[in-house]
Amino acid sequence: MKVLLLKDVYKLGHAGDVKKVADGYARNYLIPRSLATLATAGSLARAEKVRDAATKLRDKLNTEMGAVAEKLGALTLHFTAKAGETGKLYGSITTQNITEAIKRESGVEVDRRNIGHQPLRELGTYKVQVRLTADITPAIKVIVHREGSEVEAEEVKPAPVPEATPQA
């Protein structure tokens, strides 16, 4: 089914784009949430208008979020956790833990679904991506150290990237 995107949809496209998607994805997710409409002749005629409005809104949002991105990019979060001899954590540092620490340290509220990694399960230093907008994704430094020990300077490990899930 072909749809005209009315808003930016993560990993699908920007507003004003015409995309071919699975029928169920369009009927059950995109259309009920007003993210897209069927690509009919009438809707395609207004596609340019939708694209222009979305570009202006995206530019405005990117300028507003630029300062927030700089603030988050300079942020370093420290977590203490119980760990075994090999460095494996007995629990994990989840996206919810990271969003709470971001709010506490910087005052910026971020949705946990916009944190781009799986839960951290080992001691170390990680770079974690935070998706503020479709174009702005600052990296936050996250240090996980053993409970009762000093923070050590370690090499930065890339954060585990979530597996891509099929959309439909």
Side-chain angles (χ1 to χ4, degrees):
M1 172 183 296
K2 284 192 174 190
V3 294
L4 169 66
L5 297 178
L6 300 175
K7 297 179 184 174
D8 293 348
V9 180
Y10 183 62
K11 291 188 179 181
L12 183 61
H14 293 292
D17 293 348
V18 176
K19 296 288 183 173
K20 183 175 170 79
V21 297
D23 293 352
Y25 182 51
R27 271 195 316 268
N28 299 324
Y29 182 76
L30 295 174
I31 294 172
R33 288 176 174 78
S34 300
L35 298 173
T37 185
L38 290 176
T40 61
S43 65
L44 292 176
R46 69 176 214 194
E48 191 63 37
K49 218 188 286 185
V50 169
R51 190 175 298 118
D52 290 341
T55 302
K56 289 177 185 172
L57 181 64
R58 193 170 30 255
D59 290 341
K60 180 183 174 194
L61 193 59
N62 285 345
T63 56
E64 290 174 2
M65 288 298 191
V68 174
E70 288 178 20
K71 190 175 186 179
L72 289 180
L75 192 62
T76 301
L77 301 177
H78 296 275
F79 291 98
T80 58
K82 292 182 180 180
E85 294 298 319
T86 60
K88 294 252 188 215
L89 300 181
Y90 289 131
S92 63
I93 306 299
T94 63
T95 56
Q96 185 64 38
N97 298 127
I98 294 173
T99 56
E100 289 169 359
I102 290 171
K103 179 140 175 75
R104 185 176 56 246
E105 296 292 323
S106 67
V108 177
E109 202 159 325
V110 178
D111 187 10
R112 67 178 176 78
R113 291 178 290 263
N114 292 338
I115 305 290
H117 79 84
Q118 296 293 321
L120 302 176
R121 300 183 191 277
E122 293 183 13
L123 297 173
T125 304
Y126 299 89
K127 285 285 188 186
V128 176
Q129 298 290 325
V130 178
R131 182 172 34 93
L132 296 176
T133 67
D135 303 325
I136 299 177
T137 55
I140 295 176
K141 187 175 181 181
V142 176
I143 300 172
V144 182
H145 56 88
R146 190 180 310 271
E147 200 172 66
S149 70
E150 293 290 321
V151 178
E152 305 167 4
E154 298 180 16
E155 74 280 354
V156 175
K157 299 176 188 176
V161 178
E163 305 260 336
T165 56
Q167 295 195 4

